Amino acid sequence: MNNFVFYSPTEFVFGKDTESRVAEMTAKYHGTKVLIVYGGGSVVRSGLLDRIRKTLDEAHISHIELGGIQPNPTDLKVYEGIELGRREKVDFLLPVGGGSVIDTAKAIACGIPYEGDFWDFFIGKAVPRQALRLGVVLTIPAAGSEGSGNSVITKTDGLKKLSLRTPEVLRPAFAIMNPELTFTLPPWQTACGITDMMAHIMERYFTNTEETEVTDRLCEGTLKAIIEEARKVMKEPRDYGARANIMWAGTIAHNGICGVGCEEDWASHFMEHEVSAVYDVTHGAGLAVIFPAWLTYMAGHHARKAAQLANRVWNVPESDNLKAMALEGIEKMKEFLHEIGMPVTFKELGIEHPDIDLLVRKLHENKGELVGNYVRLDRQATREIYETANR
Amino acid sequence: MNNFVFYSPTEFVFGKDTESRVAEMTAKYHGTKVLIVYGGGSVVRSGLLDRIRKTLDEAHISHIELGGIQPNPTDLKVYEGIELGRREKVDFLLPVGGGSVIDTAKAIACGIPYEGDFWDFFIGKAVPRQALRLGVVLTIPAAGSEGSGNSVITKTDGLKKLSLRTPEVLRPAFAIMNPELTFTLPPWQTACGITDMMAHIMERYFTNTEETEVTDRLCEGTLKAIIEEARKVMKEPRDYGARANIMWAGTIAHNGICGVGCEEDWASHFMEHEVSAVYDVTHGAGLAVIFPAWLTYMAGHHARKAAQLANRVWNVPESDNLKAMALEGIEKMKEFLHEIGMPVTFKELGIEHPDIDLLVRKLHENKGELVGNYVRLDRQATREIYETANR
């Protein structure tokens, strides 16, 4: 196990009707002038936004709004939010939505007090030292952004989709999580979220760090719970218990507890980011295509952990043939992904002829000549993985 | 799943040589006049205390000391610490040790700013609203106190051993955790710690709350990891990886993540507290005796979760006979406890003729007529459990 710092100071307020506590929590963390950030119509249609406005009004907390955040959120809305926030002197960000909305709010939160271009943080030119505080009302469990210090933004000019990781500065002060708010999520979006949280765990689980038994077991246990609860929630979208387990699993998957003391991988996420940046597909669906292909490469080149995953999560019997174990686990994973309605090939994702040359080129331009850590992947390896996903 | 708030703001600084960061961390959390709290000779003999003094001196952080905290810590040292801390105007507590030392420091931390008797907090007469901040240097992984807001203190007069739970006020600001500091722990103390952390998980795991799949799996996974790593560490006390996993498991077991959204039980802990208050045995060893007896009662009266534990943690095959599954799991647990050198009966614990009348009377005087939640235990039930432990 490597040395690590684990620091997850977010206050998670979880359960039925918890959105009624949004003003109380905002006041607790000293928000007085709030910028509410949200996406499309669903938080409007459901009346959630109105309820939040009313709660803030009653507590005499002033608020303004930035709506229209799209999936795969871009820098344009971040610039708009920074300008608006500065002009109106907001001191607190309140994203209401899922990962795209929260990630946009985070970029705004560190962009407002920064004199340069916020994009500097995403290309590694500068490190955010301070940020406005934020609280989250989560409506789409998937990205885990409610408990992480991370943000992923796409630069419109050049379609660069890059991520920022700053655990100290950008962790939300609080996250309000009411599973009932997810009852109306369409099956596709539910399944994409489930796939994304599973990927967040596996990106950490695949490590060469030795002696990570506690963390391994937390990863495997959370994956098993997700698989079981996912089957329930796809059958019965209004099953509160299943929605609650899925929602909480999304936080566990990404608040860092599943990766303490490990060198993490993240090649699959980086490979998927190129796919969704170019083809504007949903991130989780992209991962459903990339992850089994990535695992197939691992089965052939470094099967140990893939075999352990197959055994402990997918109930593949132990054997001396680690590669065969790993491959059987991948088949079970693909069956599961199909069961919840996910694609597992580019074709199933609706991309008939992916431009693999372009994907490989952009990936290595953005992330360097070697990607990932469990196996360091060069251009030939990532090409092979994209091609496997195209079969 | 019940509504819950999960808030674990402690910054865990984990790994080799991390005690060298104690001054930096104390300064980060605004400690300027520190009361170091410690127990017996081992932190002195090992040179750890000297190293900490030196680090604080170099950072110009002034410090005084309160040593001599005993296992099953009493109110006397708390009163001494409160008086000392007030007189010397300390603003930060730095316990260096295990649960007894940390729990004493917590009681001092909330006692100093309180006008009344700190014991008020433990008997429920008052709730601590504020406390001095504390940082921990952990040397004995077991109690989980480094990541919890809890404290257990024994009132010398009357031998009342009571616990205080205040997640908001008493969570340490930071916890420095170097597994190397645990290399020299004697096997008995190592095994007692392992038993205690397993009990912390099971107290949460045994719940009637429905739909707690994620939390169940986290509990089961952590237990499996502890069992595996415990076997390694008992064989090879200087196995860094095993010590690291055990140390981290102790935190996971008690920082709340294993119990979110559940009604917890805690009857076994309360029953053990009477045993260690009267007979001054080590808490973990007391639990090794009480927990299997408590589980045996559950096998007969409410076997569901005991059977799940047997299956998922102790690899007992599934069957329709839940009671038989549970009993087989208990046998495997006892075998494991014996394997690591723990007693599983009063006799093995060195108590030839326990005064069960006294234990039952004090338990229900301290904790009310019904104890625990998974099954609400009356005097007859707790007597039966103590008697089972006496076979």
Side-chain angles (χ1 to χ4, degrees), chain A residues 314-368:
Chain A
W314 299 105
N315 303 318
V316 174
E318 279 195 86
S319 85
D320 290 339
N321 190 338
L322 298 185
K323 182 175 177 180
M325 282 177 70
L327 290 173
E328 194 180 333
I330 295 162
E331 285 313 305
K332 295 207 172 189
M333 183 178 163
K334 285 190 198 170
E335 277 167 34
F336 168 78
L337 290 168
H338 273 154
E339 195 184 326
I340 64 170
M342 284 287 98
V344 301
T345 62
F346 276 120
K347 194 167 294 184
E348 290 176 4
L349 182 59
I351 306 171
E352 284 287 332
H353 303 289
D355 186 342
I356 290 178
D357 287 344
L358 175 71
L359 294 173
V360 170
R361 194 174 70 241
K362 281 172 47 63
L363 173 67
H364 291 279
E365 272 172 24
N366 286 334
K367 293 295 170 185

Coordinates of all heavy atoms in Angstrom, one line a residue, chain A residues 314-368:
Chain A
W314 N -17.8 -11.5 -10.6 CA -18.7 -12.2 -11.6 C -18.8 -13.7 -11.3 O -19.3 -14.4 -12.2 CB -18.1 -11.9 -13.0 CG -18.1 -10.4 -13.3 CD1 -17.1 -9.6 -13.4 CD2 -19.3 -9.6 -13.6 NE1 -17.5 -8.3 -13.6 CE2 -18.8 -8.3 -13.8 CE3 -20.7 -9.8 -13.7 CZ2 -19.7 -7.2 -14.1 CZ3 -21.5 -8.8 -14.0 CH2 -21.0 -7.5 -14.2
N315 N -18.3 -14.1 -10.2 CA -18.5 -15.5 -9.7 C -17.9 -16.5 -10.7 O -18.4 -17.7 -10.8 CB -20.0 -15.8 -9.5 CG -20.6 -14.9 -8.5 OD1 -19.9 -14.6 -7.4 ND2 -21.8 -14.4 -8.7
V316 N -16.8 -16.2 -11.4 CA -16.1 -17.1 -12.2 C -15.3 -18.0 -11.3 O -14.5 -17.5 -10.5 CB -15.3 -16.4 -13.3 CG1 -14.4 -17.4 -14.1 CG2 -16.1 -15.5 -14.2
P317 N -15.4 -19.3 -11.4 CA -14.6 -20.2 -10.6 C -13.1 -20.0 -10.7 O -12.6 -19.6 -11.8 CB -14.9 -21.6 -11.0 CG -16.2 -21.5 -11.8 CD -16.2 -20.1 -12.4
E318 N -12.3 -20.1 -9.6 CA -10.9 -20.0 -9.7 C -10.2 -21.1 -10.6 O -10.7 -22.2 -10.6 CB -10.3 -20.0 -8.3 CG -10.4 -18.7 -7.6 CD -9.5 -18.6 -6.4 OE1 -8.3 -18.2 -6.5 OE2 -10.0 -18.9 -5.2
S319 N -9.2 -20.7 -11.3 CA -8.4 -21.7 -12.0 C -7.0 -21.2 -12.2 O -6.7 -20.0 -11.9 CB -9.1 -22.0 -13.4 OG -8.7 -21.1 -14.4
D320 N -6.2 -22.0 -12.8 CA -4.8 -21.6 -13.0 C -4.7 -20.7 -14.2 O -3.7 -20.0 -14.4 CB -3.9 -22.8 -13.2 CG -3.7 -23.5 -11.9 OD1 -3.9 -22.9 -10.8 OD2 -3.3 -24.7 -11.9
N321 N -5.7 -20.8 -15.1 CA -5.7 -20.1 -16.4 C -6.3 -18.7 -16.1 O -7.5 -18.5 -16.3 CB -6.4 -20.9 -17.4 CG -6.2 -20.3 -18.8 OD1 -5.9 -19.1 -18.9 ND2 -6.4 -21.1 -19.8
L322 N -5.5 -17.8 -15.7 CA -6.0 -16.4 -15.4 C -6.6 -15.7 -16.6 O -7.6 -15.1 -16.5 CB -4.8 -15.6 -14.8 CG -4.2 -16.0 -13.5 CD1 -3.2 -15.0 -13.0 CD2 -5.2 -16.3 -12.4
K323 N -6.0 -16.0 -17.8 CA -6.6 -15.3 -19.0 C -8.0 -15.8 -19.2 O -8.9 -15.0 -19.5 CB -5.7 -15.6 -20.2 CG -6.2 -14.9 -21.4 CD -5.2 -15.1 -22.6 CE -5.8 -14.5 -23.9 NZ -5.0 -14.6 -25.0
A324 N -8.2 -17.1 -19.1 CA -9.5 -17.7 -19.4 C -10.5 -17.2 -18.3 O -11.7 -16.9 -18.7 CB -9.4 -19.2 -19.3
M325 N -10.1 -17.1 -17.1 CA -10.9 -16.5 -16.1 C -11.3 -15.1 -16.4 O -12.5 -14.7 -16.3 CB -10.2 -16.5 -14.7 CG -10.1 -17.8 -13.9 SD -9.2 -17.6 -12.4 CE -10.3 -16.6 -11.4
A326 N -10.3 -14.3 -16.8 CA -10.6 -12.9 -17.1 C -11.6 -12.8 -18.3 O -12.5 -12.0 -18.2 CB -9.3 -12.2 -17.4
L327 N -11.4 -13.6 -19.3 CA -12.2 -13.5 -20.5 C -13.7 -13.9 -20.1 O -14.6 -13.3 -20.6 CB -11.7 -14.4 -21.6 CG -10.4 -13.9 -22.3 CD1 -9.8 -14.9 -23.3 CD2 -10.6 -12.5 -22.9
E328 N -13.8 -14.9 -19.3 CA -15.2 -15.4 -18.9 C -15.8 -14.2 -18.1 O -17.0 -14.0 -18.2 CB -15.1 -16.6 -18.0 CG -16.4 -17.3 -17.9 CD -16.4 -18.6 -17.0 OE1 -15.3 -19.2 -17.0 OE2 -17.4 -18.9 -16.4
G329 N -15.1 -13.5 -17.2 CA -15.6 -12.4 -16.5 C -16.1 -11.3 -17.4 O -17.1 -10.7 -17.2
I330 N -15.3 -11.1 -18.5 CA -15.7 -10.0 -19.5 C -17.0 -10.4 -20.1 O -17.8 -9.5 -20.4 CB -14.5 -9.8 -20.5 CG1 -13.3 -9.2 -19.8 CG2 -15.0 -8.8 -21.6 CD1 -12.0 -9.4 -20.6
E331 N -17.1 -11.7 -20.5 CA -18.4 -12.1 -21.1 C -19.6 -11.8 -20.2 O -20.6 -11.3 -20.6 CB -18.3 -13.6 -21.5 CG -17.5 -13.8 -22.7 CD -17.8 -12.9 -23.9 OE1 -19.0 -12.8 -24.3 OE2 -16.9 -12.2 -24.4
K332 N -19.4 -12.1 -18.9 CA -20.5 -11.9 -17.9 C -20.7 -10.4 -17.8 O -21.9 -10.0 -17.6 CB -20.1 -12.5 -16.6 CG -20.0 -14.0 -16.6 CD -20.3 -14.6 -15.3 CE -20.3 -16.1 -15.4 NZ -20.8 -16.8 -14.2
M333 N -19.7 -9.6 -17.8 CA -19.9 -8.2 -17.7 C -20.7 -7.7 -18.9 O -21.6 -6.8 -18.8 CB -18.5 -7.5 -17.6 CG -18.6 -6.0 -17.5 SD -16.9 -5.3 -17.3 CE -17.3 -3.6 -17.6
K334 N -20.3 -8.1 -20.1 CA -21.0 -7.7 -21.3 C -22.5 -8.1 -21.3 O -23.4 -7.4 -21.7 CB -20.4 -8.3 -22.6 CG -19.1 -7.6 -23.0 CD -18.7 -8.2 -24.4 CE -17.2 -8.0 -24.7 NZ -16.9 -8.7 -25.9
E335 N -22.7 -9.4 -20.8 CA -24.1 -9.8 -20.6 C -24.9 -8.9 -19.7 O -26.0 -8.5 -20.0 CB -24.2 -11.2 -20.0 CG -24.0 -12.4 -21.0 CD -23.7 -13.7 -20.2 OE1 -24.3 -13.8 -19.1 OE2 -23.0 -14.5 -20.7
F336 N -24.2 -8.5 -18.6 CA -24.9 -7.6 -17.7 C -25.2 -6.2 -18.4 O -26.3 -5.7 -18.2 CB -24.0 -7.4 -16.4 CG -24.5 -6.2 -15.6 CD1 -25.6 -6.4 -14.7 CD2 -23.8 -5.0 -15.6 CE1 -26.0 -5.3 -13.9 CE2 -24.3 -4.0 -14.8 CZ -25.3 -4.1 -14.0
L337 N -24.2 -5.7 -19.1 CA -24.4 -4.4 -19.8 C -25.5 -4.5 -20.8 O -26.4 -3.6 -20.8 CB -23.1 -4.0 -20.4 CG -22.0 -3.6 -19.4 CD1 -20.6 -3.4 -20.2 CD2 -22.3 -2.2 -18.7
H338 N -25.6 -5.6 -21.5 CA -26.7 -5.7 -22.4 C -28.0 -5.8 -21.7 O -29.0 -5.2 -22.1 CB -26.5 -7.0 -23.3 CG -25.7 -6.8 -24.5 ND1 -25.0 -7.8 -25.1 CD2 -25.5 -5.7 -25.3 CE1 -24.4 -7.3 -26.2 NE2 -24.7 -6.0 -26.3
E339 N -28.0 -6.5 -20.6 CA -29.2 -6.7 -19.8 C -29.8 -5.3 -19.3 O -31.0 -5.1 -19.3 CB -28.8 -7.5 -18.5 CG -30.0 -8.1 -17.8 CD -29.5 -8.8 -16.5 OE1 -28.4 -9.4 -16.6 OE2 -30.2 -8.8 -15.5
I340 N -28.9 -4.4 -19.0 CA -29.4 -3.1 -18.6 C -29.5 -2.1 -19.8 O -29.8 -0.9 -19.6 CB -28.6 -2.4 -17.4 CG1 -27.1 -2.1 -17.9 CG2 -28.6 -3.3 -16.2 CD1 -26.3 -1.3 -16.9
G341 N -29.3 -2.6 -21.0 CA -29.6 -1.8 -22.2 C -28.4 -1.0 -22.7 O -28.6 -0.1 -23.5
M342 N -27.2 -1.4 -22.3 CA -26.1 -0.7 -22.8 C -25.5 -1.3 -24.0 O -25.6 -2.5 -24.2 CB -25.0 -0.7 -21.7 CG -25.2 0.3 -20.5 SD -24.9 2.0 -21.0 CE -26.6 2.6 -21.3
P343 N -24.8 -0.5 -24.9 CA -24.1 -1.1 -26.0 C -22.7 -1.6 -25.5 O -22.3 -1.2 -24.5 CB -23.9 0.2 -26.9 CG -23.8 1.3 -25.9 CD -24.7 0.9 -24.8
V344 N -22.2 -2.5 -26.2 CA -20.8 -2.9 -25.9 C -19.8 -2.9 -27.1 O -18.7 -3.3 -27.0 CB -20.7 -4.4 -25.2 CG1 -21.6 -4.4 -24.0 CG2 -21.2 -5.4 -26.2
T345 N -20.4 -2.4 -28.2 CA -19.5 -2.1 -29.4 C -19.8 -0.7 -30.0 O -20.9 -0.2 -29.7 CB -19.8 -3.1 -30.5 OG1 -21.1 -3.0 -31.0 CG2 -19.6 -4.6 -30.1
F346 N -18.9 -0.2 -30.8 CA -19.1 1.1 -31.4 C -20.4 1.0 -32.2 O -21.2 2.0 -32.2 CB -18.0 1.4 -32.4 CG -16.8 2.1 -31.7 CD1 -15.5 1.5 -31.7 CD2 -17.0 3.3 -31.0 CE1 -14.5 2.2 -31.1 CE2 -15.9 4.0 -30.4 CZ -14.7 3.4 -30.4
K347 N -20.6 -0.1 -32.9 CA -21.8 -0.2 -33.8 C -23.1 -0.1 -32.9 O -24.0 0.7 -33.2 CB -21.8 -1.5 -34.5 CG -22.8 -1.6 -35.7 CD -22.5 -2.7 -36.6 CE -21.2 -2.5 -37.3 NZ -20.9 -3.6 -38.3
E348 N -23.1 -0.8 -31.8 CA -24.3 -0.7 -30.9 C -24.4 0.7 -30.3 O -25.6 1.1 -30.0 CB -24.1 -1.8 -29.8 CG -24.3 -3.2 -30.3 CD -24.1 -4.2 -29.1 OE1 -23.9 -3.8 -28.0 OE2 -24.1 -5.4 -29.5
L349 N -23.3 1.4 -30.2 CA -23.4 2.8 -29.7 C -23.9 3.7 -30.8 O -24.1 4.9 -30.5 CB -22.0 3.1 -29.2 CG -21.7 4.5 -28.6 CD1 -22.6 4.7 -27.3 CD2 -20.3 4.7 -28.2
G350 N -24.0 3.2 -32.0 CA -24.5 4.1 -33.1 C -23.4 4.7 -33.9 O -23.6 5.6 -34.7
I351 N -22.1 4.3 -33.7 CA -21.0 4.8 -34.5 C -20.6 3.7 -35.5 O -19.9 2.7 -35.1 CB -19.8 5.2 -33.6 CG1 -20.3 6.2 -32.5 CG2 -18.7 5.8 -34.4 CD1 -19.3 6.5 -31.4
E352 N -21.1 3.8 -36.7 CA -20.8 2.7 -37.7 C -19.3 2.6 -38.1 O -18.8 1.5 -38.1 CB -21.7 2.9 -38.9 CG -23.2 2.6 -38.8 CD -23.4 1.1 -38.7 OE1 -22.6 0.3 -39.3 OE2 -24.4 0.7 -38.1
H353 N -18.8 3.7 -38.3 CA -17.4 3.7 -38.8 C -16.5 4.7 -37.9 O -16.3 5.8 -38.4 CB -17.3 4.1 -40.3 CG -18.1 3.2 -41.1 ND1 -17.8 1.9 -41.4 CD2 -19.3 3.4 -41.8 CE1 -18.7 1.3 -42.1 NE2 -19.6 2.2 -42.4
P354 N -16.1 4.3 -36.7 CA -15.4 5.2 -35.9 C -14.0 5.6 -36.6 O -13.4 4.7 -37.2 CB -15.1 4.4 -34.6 CG -15.3 3.0 -35.0 CD -16.3 3.0 -36.1
D355 N -13.6 6.8 -36.5 CA -12.3 7.2 -37.0 C -11.3 6.9 -36.0 O -10.9 7.8 -35.2 CB -12.4 8.7 -37.4 CG -11.2 9.2 -38.1 OD1 -10.1 8.5 -38.1 OD2 -11.2 10.3 -38.7
I356 N -10.8 5.7 -36.0 CA -9.8 5.2 -35.0 C -8.5 6.0 -35.1 O -7.9 6.3 -34.0 CB -9.7 3.7 -35.0 CG1 -11.0 3.1 -34.6 CG2 -8.5 3.2 -34.2 CD1 -11.1 1.5 -34.6
D357 N -8.1 6.3 -36.3 CA -6.9 7.1 -36.4 C -7.0 8.4 -35.6 O -6.1 8.8 -34.9 CB -6.7 7.5 -37.9 CG -6.2 6.3 -38.7 OD1 -5.7 5.3 -38.1 OD2 -6.2 6.4 -39.9
L358 N -8.1 9.1 -35.8 CA -8.4 10.4 -35.1 C -8.4 10.2 -33.6 O -7.8 10.9 -32.9 CB -9.7 11.0 -35.6 CG -10.2 12.3 -34.9 CD1 -9.3 13.4 -35.3 CD2 -11.6 12.6 -35.2
L359 N -9.1 9.1 -33.1 CA -9.2 8.9 -31.7 C -7.8 8.7 -31.1 O -7.5 9.2 -30.0 CB -10.1 7.7 -31.4 CG -11.6 7.9 -31.8 CD1 -12.4 6.6 -31.6 CD2 -12.3 9.0 -30.9
V360 N -7.0 7.8 -31.7 CA -5.7 7.5 -31.2 C -4.9 8.8 -31.2 O -4.2 9.1 -30.2 CB -5.0 6.4 -32.1 CG1 -3.6 6.2 -31.7 CG2 -5.8 5.1 -31.9
R361 N -4.9 9.5 -32.3 CA -4.1 10.7 -32.4 C -4.4 11.7 -31.3 O -3.6 12.2 -30.6 CB -4.2 11.4 -33.8 CG -3.1 12.4 -34.1 CD -3.2 12.9 -35.5 NE -4.3 13.7 -35.7 CZ -5.3 13.5 -36.6 NH1 -5.2 12.4 -37.4 NH2 -6.3 14.3 -36.7
K362 N -5.7 12.0 -31.2 CA -6.2 13.0 -30.2 C -5.9 12.5 -28.7 O -5.5 13.3 -27.9 CB -7.7 13.3 -30.3 CG -8.0 14.3 -31.5 CD -9.4 14.5 -31.8 CE -10.3 14.7 -30.5 NZ -10.0 15.9 -29.8
L363 N -6.1 11.2 -28.5 CA -5.8 10.7 -27.2 C -4.4 10.9 -26.7 O -4.1 11.4 -25.6 CB -6.1 9.1 -27.2 CG -5.7 8.4 -25.9 CD1 -6.5 8.8 -24.7 CD2 -5.8 6.9 -26.1
H364 N -3.5 10.6 -27.6 CA -2.0 10.7 -27.2 C -1.6 12.2 -27.3 O -0.6 12.5 -26.6 CB -1.2 9.7 -28.1 CG -1.4 8.3 -27.7 ND1 -0.9 7.7 -26.6 CD2 -2.3 7.4 -28.3 CE1 -1.3 6.4 -26.6 NE2 -2.1 6.2 -27.6
E365 N -2.2 13.0 -28.1 CA -1.9 14.4 -28.1 C -2.3 15.0 -26.7 O -1.6 15.7 -26.1 CB -2.7 15.1 -29.2 CG -2.0 15.2 -30.5 CD -2.9 15.8 -31.6 OE1 -3.9 16.5 -31.2 OE2 -2.7 15.5 -32.8
N366 N -3.5 14.6 -26.3 CA -4.0 15.1 -25.0 C -3.3 14.5 -23.8 O -3.1 15.2 -22.7 CB -5.5 14.9 -24.9 CG -6.3 15.8 -25.8 OD1 -5.8 16.9 -26.1 ND2 -7.5 15.4 -26.2
K367 N -3.0 13.2 -23.8 CA -2.6 12.5 -22.6 C -1.2 11.9 -22.7 O -0.7 11.2 -21.8 CB -3.6 11.3 -22.4 CG -5.0 11.8 -22.0 CD -4.9 12.6 -20.7 CE -6.3 13.3 -20.4 NZ -6.2 14.1 -19.2
G368 N -0.4 12.2 -23.7 CA 1.0 11.8 -23.8 C 1.1 10.5 -24.5 O 0.1 9.8 -24.9

